[in-house]
Amino acid sequence: MANDEKELIRRLQAGETSAFRELVENHKRALFNLAYDLLGNAQDAEDISQEAFIKVYHSIGDFRGDARLGSWMYRIVVNLCLNRRRKKAWSEMELRESFEDDATHAPTPTSDHEANPEKTTEAEMIRQHLRRALDLLSPQQKTIFVLRHDDDLPLAEISKILKISEGTVKSQLFRALRKLQEELAFYKADFVA
Amino acid sequence: MNNLPCKKYETLLAAQAFGDLNSAEEHKLRAHLAECRDCRNFLMATEMALGKLGAPQRPEMPEHFWGGYWHRLAQRLEQEAAGAPTADSVFVRLREWLREKWVAQPLFMPLARTAGILALLVCGVIIGHYWWPANRNEQPTLVSTVPPTIPVAQTRAEQWLERSKILLIGMANEDLSGATQPDFSHQRQVSRTLLTEARTLNHELDPAANRQLLQLMSQLELILLQIANLEAEHDLSAVELVRDGIARDGLLLKINIAELAQQAQPRPVAPQKSKRQSSEIL
Ligand SMILES: [Zn+2]
């Protein structure tokens, strides 16, 4: 661990507000971006990143320095995001069940109903579709994919953050890639042409 | 869809896709690729998918968002230290309480669930009326629908758009040159409510059938977040930024178009399982 970081941790553990502010200023964008990549919503991203800083503030005394401070904070953000997704999945399930009691299937909207011919290019449409397909992955798969692809973290770092083996990281990445390919296959006719 | 690649090479293929192979692994995989079409196809399709997916698109938060980040965090810490409840936390606590009840008493789940949903609905109506008194006449009143039903996501999305529009028009027309400084606390509160609702809608709306609506909503959410983060008063430069954003993105026009499109759509009755939907559409 770099000396600067050791010194910052020492100051944090001594309860120096200026050290906490320094930590926040240095990491706020990274934590916000990670939460945004995982949850896809700016308000949640601010909320989660702040919650993570609050957790750091309260538990810096327990930090033993066996990981980098950055990895530790990433881990906190990932856990908070997974919790939020679980809670959301739960409340969605409840609402959905209540809808399905008397649901009759509506006619499937076709692309003609896709409103105005706004300038959403086909590439952009596919990109958005693939982004949303990431939500169909298991929370762990999506997290691993986002950490590797969007945040460009090395496999070893991801394995530390999630406390799983590198082998598991790779096999989950494989499944995520398979999923993306399946989704892209819908467009096959277009990109073969 | 191509054939599946060889099981034995799955992890090597995944590592290769992200450039994570060491030279021995790379050598081994290359030898295999030379004689295995399925694995080659997998890598090609992966490359194409990652290419189409591209880099993550993150919102560009305005400078005053980052500038105020520490301040908002410090406020949160202070509130937490003082144990001050927020409107949000009351709501969250109510939900947590209901969940505990339901989990603890599986026998009564259907009854409790219905009661819980009704309770949440009633809370929503009360909170909605409290936070949105000025436009009460323009809202379809949930109270009047007896027995109460939760409007389908599509209908709620329309209402959400309409309320966002009213808010944005208000922001665009607020007189900033007057002698008295305008107070945006009501708008901030409404923005927060809309943002909270957007979170739920984002998860309920079928992404395949509502691509453009969701795209518009995410643009609107950025503006709403800016409004929600305005300083209570005297934040005129930030208000100008919000106005610029509304004008730059043509948001009011987009809302009008989206509303027309929504009205032309057949009503979906329930949230759909997105996978089958997307394959049918695409
Ligand atoms: Zn093979």
Side-chain angles (χ1 to χ4, degrees):
Chain A
M1 192 184 298
N3 280 343
D4 286 356
E5 187 162 310
K6 271 190 190 151
E7 174 58 13
L8 180 64
I9 293 166
R10 189 200 59 73
R11 287 169 55 213
L12 284 166
Q13 290 179 333
E16 277 183 36
T17 310
S18 65
F20 184 56
R21 175 145 198 188
E22 195 177 318
L23 181 85
V24 171
E25 297 301 341
N26 289 342
H27 292 272
K28 63 188 180 187
R29 286 169 202 263
L31 297 199
F32 175 91
N33 284 342
L34 175 60
Y36 185 86
D37 292 341
L38 288 169
L39 298 170
N41 156 335
Q43 198 197 11
D44 279 348
E46 179 180 19
D47 192 31
I48 291 282
S49 59
Q50 292 201 341
E51 214 173 314
F53 281 122
I54 290 172
K55 265 199 170 4
V56 168
Y57 180 81
H58 287 310
S59 48
I60 189 70
D62 301 330
F63 182 68
R64 293 280 156 262
D66 44 2
R68 288 190 314 117
L69 195 54
S71 308
W72 182 55
M73 291 197 294
Y74 263 45
R75 183 173 168 68
I76 292 175
V77 170
V78 165
N79 283 335
L80 289 171
C81 289
L82 289 175
N83 272 338
R84 180 149 305 187
R85 275 189 58 159
R86 267 195 285 273
K87 280 182 191 168
K88 255 185 193 161
W90 177 88
S91 55
E92 261 172 64
M93 188 182 72
E94 296 301 329
L95 277 172
R96 184 161 297 159
E97 280 177 18
S98 74
F99 280 128
E100 281 173 356
D101 285 344
D102 56 358
T104 53
H105 282 287
T108 308
T110 65
S111 51
D112 290 345
H113 290 109
E114 290 278 315
N116 42 83
E118 263 191 49
K119 48 183 189 294
T120 309
T121 63
E122 182 169 313
E124 175 58 15
M125 208 170 79
I126 296 177
R127 192 194 68 75
Q128 287 180 18
H129 177 78
L130 292 179
R131 276 282 151 197
R132 292 194 189 283
L134 294 178
D135 288 330
L136 302 175
L137 300 172
S138 76
Q140 192 192 47
Q141 278 166 11
K142 181 178 173 183
T143 304
I144 291 172
F145 185 86
V146 162
L147 289 172
R148 182 68 197 91
H149 181 261
D150 294 350
D151 289 67
D152 205 21
L153 293 190
L155 297 176
E157 182 88 5
I158 298 172
S159 115
K160 271 187 209 145
I161 288 173
L162 296 177
K163 294 193 173 157
I164 53 178
S165 72
E166 276 190 46
T168 307
V169 174
K170 286 185 217 164
S171 62
Q172 296 292 59
L173 274 178
F174 174 82
R175 298 217 171 95
L177 291 172
R178 285 273 313 150
K179 180 79 213 156
L180 282 182
Q181 289 189 15
E182 273 171 39
E183 295 299 320
L184 191 59
F186 293 145
Y187 294 94
K188 204 163 192 176
D190 292 334
F191 65 72
V192 163
Chain B
M1 205 56 222
N2 296 323
N3 292 330
L4 289 174
C6 305
K7 187 110 190 99
K8 193 177 151 193
Y9 285 88
E10 284 181 356
T11 54
L12 286 184
L13 289 166
Q16 164 68 22
F18 293 101
D20 290 326
L21 290 182
N22 62 36
S23 58
E25 290 169 329
E26 201 175 329
H27 188 73
K28 184 180 170 190
L29 180 64
R30 202 171 282 176
H32 176 69
L33 288 176
E35 55 193 30
C36 179
R37 174 195 290 247
D38 291 337
C39 287
R40 276 201 310 270
N41 282 342
F42 177 85
L43 269 187
M44 264 163 48
T46 294
E47 206 172 300
M48 189 172 282
L50 291 180
K52 301 251 178 215
L53 185 68
Q57 297 211 330
R58 295 162 178 156
E60 268 188 44
M61 305 308 285
E63 261 324 296
H64 75 85
F65 170 84
W66 292 117
Y69 187 95
W70 165 258
H71 180 65
R72 295 192 297 279
L73 175 60
Q75 257 182 347
R76 232 174 117 163
L77 269 167
E78 270 170 32
Q79 272 178 358
E80 196 192 63
T86 61
D88 247 8
S89 72
V90 172
F91 212 67
V92 169
R93 268 183 232 157
L94 175 64
R95 202 154 83 179
E96 294 292 325
W97 176 81
L98 284 168
R99 180 192 323 198
E100 276 163 28
K101 289 282 164 208
W102 299 354
V103 171
Q105 301 174 7
L107 209 63
F108 299 110
M109 266 178 77
L111 184 64
R113 182 180 297 157
T114 312
I117 288 168
L118 289 182
L120 284 180
L121 185 64
V122 170
C123 287
V125 168
I126 292 167
I127 291 169
H129 274 246
Y130 175 71
W131 277 341
W132 197 256
N135 298 297
R136 204 172 282 175
N137 294 337
E138 298 168 40
Q139 297 300 308
T141 47
L142 296 181
V143 181
S144 67
T145 47
V146 179
T149 52
I150 299 169
V152 291
Q154 216 74 40
T155 312
R156 298 206 325 279
E158 273 171 39
Q159 292 167 355
W160 188 91
L161 281 178
E162 183 61 22
R163 289 162 60 193
S164 302
K165 183 168 80 177
I166 293 167
L167 176 67
L168 263 45
I169 290 173
M171 290 300 295
N173 294 321
E174 185 77 48
D175 181 15
L176 302 181
S177 61
T180 54
Q181 296 276 13
D183 172 9
F184 290 105
S185 49
H186 177 64
Q187 285 90 334
R188 290 163 65 213
Q189 191 62 72
V190 173
S191 293
R192 282 190 205 122
T193 312
L194 287 168
L195 283 164
T196 308
E197 287 172 14
R199 276 196 255 171
T200 317
L201 284 170
N202 275 326
H203 284 262
E204 285 176 20
L205 288 168
D206 175 15
N210 295 289
R211 201 173 286 126
Q212 286 180 328
L213 173 62
L214 286 164
Q215 202 185 350
L216 172 59
M217 282 178 64
S218 73
Q219 271 188 319
L220 285 168
E221 279 171 63
L222 287 182
I223 294 285
L224 291 174
L225 193 60
Q226 286 184 31
I227 299 174
N229 285 321
L230 288 176
E231 300 297 325
E233 295 167 29
H234 318 303
D235 199 3
L236 298 187
S237 62
V239 177
E240 290 295 355
L241 268 175
V242 169
R243 287 180 170 186
D244 288 349
I246 297 172
R248 186 191 58 232
D249 297 336
L251 286 174
L252 290 170
L253 177 65
K254 283 182 184 168
I255 294 178
N256 285 337
I257 295 172
E259 282 180 336
L260 287 175
Q262 287 290 308
Q263 283 156 18
Q265 275 202 14
R267 309 274 97 172
V269 173
Q272 317 283 339
K273 299 259 188 285
S274 61
K275 178 62 204 296
R276 178 176 312 168
Q277 284 285 312
S278 40
S279 63
E280 280 166 7
I281 291 161
L282 302 168

